[in-house]
Amino acid sequence: MKHKVIVTGGCGYIGSHTVVELIENNYEVVILDDLSNSSIETIGRIEKITGVKPIFINIDLKEEAKVNAVFKEHKDALAVINFAAYKAVGESVNKPIMYYKNNLYALLNTLSAQLENGINGFIFSSSATVYGTPNKLPITEKNETQRPFSPYGNTKKIAEEILDDFTKATENFTAISLRYFNPIGAHESGLIGELPSGIPNNLMPYITQTAVGIREKLMVYGNDYPTKDGTPIRDYIHVVDLAKAHVLAVERILNKKQEENFEIFNLGTGKGFSVLDVINSFEEVTNSKLNYEITERRPGDVPELYAATDLAKEKLGWSANKTLNEMISSSWEWEQKLRAKLQ
Ligand code: UFG
């Protein structure tokens, strides 16, 4: 019999890639999504890639009674992976209540519906933003967390604190928080990828949209940071590598391999690349010139972030193996297919 996993936000960028990996590893998947920042078309695309259509339920996780009813219907699920959240850093600064409500009500309603229905495993989609400005590199899971710059980031930090309390108070309930560094790239099929609504906040979609002609030029936010070329350094990680880590986290929970009821793992490659490194690699991979300009720093940007990856390797048996060039070429392929389809 297939093990059932509920994936909230399963139509989104990282969610959809994870659903593909789960199906390919023989899990039955139930997607809960309100489609507020994703498209129903993703379901058909997942089916095209895997040959299996996941169960889809359109639901706003802020609606507690509805969440309870859905979890009751799927109480044979063994674990939940929680991707459902708003994620635009800048928007969260302007609309903090909307972010706290959406991200935290969804989490709380999910956890209480799990409790009610005896679904005891939980995987949380967290972020390296909880480390704030790190005083030590590479960042290990033992690095202290700081209050993130943005309300978005703070919802991740608060969520981890809730999970810490909840797992301590709830016998048999186990959770894993996965702290992503900078996810980019797309599935090799070119059928799923990142679909930012409006003007992208993040570097990679901004680059590909500029190259395809939707944006006039990329603004590089500052070249006066204390790094090798003055631009900030990040640990970019292929979304498919990231998705695979979620399957291993589910297995760790189902096989009762956890050493503590609440575990935290960094998901990164351990390698840092500057903004100019990414631009140069993009130009090399696509054999084209990117229109860009150096401008002011963006408030809240940290000079340098990259992960220590040992813990995920040792405990989850996971490490990233896709290169920056593979990340860039898959992002580029996705962008081109997307635009060809939209025209
Ligand atoms: N950048 C530009 N121009 C742009 C966009 C980004 O120069 O148009 C630069 C940023 O200044 C930064 C780098 O590219 O130096 C990466 O920026 P992203 O916005 O792609 O990523 P961040 O590292 O700022 O944020 C990411 C996730 C957040 C998460 C954070 C944790 O998007 O969700 O990592 O560190 F909170």
Side-chain angles (χ1 to χ4, degrees):
M1 210 184 71
K2 286 187 177 183
H3 292 318
K4 188 187 273 190
V5 176
I6 295 173
V7 180
T8 75
C11 289
Y13 175 41
I14 303 171
S16 59
H17 287 82
T18 299
V19 170
V20 166
E21 293 299 321
L22 285 167
I23 292 174
E24 286 180 345
N25 282 277
N26 218 24
Y27 287 89
E28 182 180 2
V29 177
V30 179
I31 294 179
L32 311 186
D33 202 305
D34 67 357
L35 303 176
S36 57
N37 193 21
S38 58
S39 160
I40 187 67
E41 268 187 50
T42 306
I43 302 293
R45 289 162 175 244
I46 291 170
E47 186 180 8
K48 217 167 179 180
I49 296 169
T50 63
V52 176
K53 190 174 183 179
I55 299 168
F56 169 74
I57 299 167
N58 188 334
I59 181 171
D60 178 348
L61 296 171
K62 292 195 288 303
E63 299 193 40
E64 190 173 3
K66 286 190 185 162
V67 176
N68 266 327
V70 165
F71 275 65
K72 197 168 175 189
E73 196 186 325
H74 293 285
K75 66 190 306 173
D76 54 332
L78 297 174
V80 175
I81 309 182
N82 179 102
F83 293 105
Y86 293 158
K87 61 169 186 178
V89 173
E91 183 184 53
S92 80
V93 173
N94 297 322
K95 298 178 179 169
I97 300 294
M98 185 174 109
Y99 270 69
Y100 286 114
K101 262 195 189 166
N102 187 70
N103 294 4
L104 296 177
Y105 283 180
L107 172 71
L108 292 169
N109 288 340
T110 300
L111 292 177
S112 68
Q114 285 191 246
L115 193 59
E116 188 100 344
N117 293 289
I119 306 171
N120 286 327
F122 186 80
I123 291 163
F124 182 65
S125 175
S126 189
S127 164
T129 193
V130 300
Y131 294 115
T133 305
N135 40 26
K136 259 194 297 185
L137 288 165
I139 304 172
T140 75
E141 292 79 354
K142 288 201 169 72
N143 270 52
E144 67 176 33
T145 57
Q146 296 170 10
R147 191 207 186 283
F149 162 77
S150 69
Y152 152 76
N154 208 27
T155 66
K156 297 296 180 190
K157 184 164 180 291
I158 294 169
E160 287 193 347
E161 289 164 358
I162 291 171
L163 288 171
D164 193 28
D165 290 340
F166 186 70
T167 48
K168 277 185 187 127
T170 315
E171 216 188 322
N172 296 330
F173 191 94
T174 54
I176 292 178
S177 181
L178 299 174
R179 292 178 176 164
Y180 313 150
F181 280 67
N182 286 61
I184 60 171
H187 192 263
E188 61 183 5
S189 62
L191 287 166
I192 53 173
E194 188 171 11
L195 192 59
S197 57
I199 302 171
N201 295 284
N202 298 117
L203 181 62
M204 200 63 227
Y206 212 105
I207 289 179
T208 56
Q209 289 196 6
T210 305
V212 91
I214 303 172
R215 310 283 156 210
E216 195 204 329
K217 68 168 104 151
L218 170 77
M219 294 300 181
V220 173
Y221 298 134
N223 66 350
D224 57 352
Y225 286 92
T227 59
K228 58 174 186 173
D229 59 22
T231 62
I233 289 179
R234 294 288 181 274
D235 184 338
Y236 296 92
I237 163 108
H238 198 298
V239 66
V240 172
D241 275 335
L242 207 64
K244 290 180 196 293
H246 293 75
V247 178
L248 293 169
V250 171
E251 280 168 10
R252 185 169 173 84
I253 288 179
L254 299 191
N255 296 332
K256 304 204 181 312
K257 289 273 168 61
Q258 285 182 277
E259 290 161 21
E260 288 163 55
N261 280 356
F262 181 38
E263 295 180 324
I264 294 174
F265 299 105
N266 285 342
L267 297 182
T269 64
K271 294 190 194 82
F273 291 99
S274 73
V275 175
L276 290 179
D277 284 336
V278 176
I279 294 173
N280 293 337
S281 301
F282 182 84
E283 291 185 334
E284 195 185 297
V285 166
T286 59
N287 199 18
S288 64
K289 280 270 155 228
L290 187 77
N291 192 18
Y292 72 90
E293 183 186 319
I294 310 287
T295 176
E296 297 289 287
R297 287 184 180 196
R298 181 172 72 175
D301 275 345
V302 171
E304 190 163 12
L305 278 182
Y306 56 91
T309 56
D310 316 65
L311 197 67
K313 188 166 188 185
E314 186 193 334
K315 307 286 181 192
L316 287 179
W318 174 89
S319 47
N321 51 42
K322 292 189 187 288
T323 62
L324 183 64
N325 280 4
E326 287 174 286
M327 301 179 211
I328 290 173
S329 58
S330 63
S331 290
W332 180 228
E333 198 153 308
W334 159 248
E335 183 74 59
Q336 286 173 297
K337 282 203 178 167
L338 191 65
R339 298 309 146 190
K341 191 176 156 274
L342 292 180
Q343 270 158 20

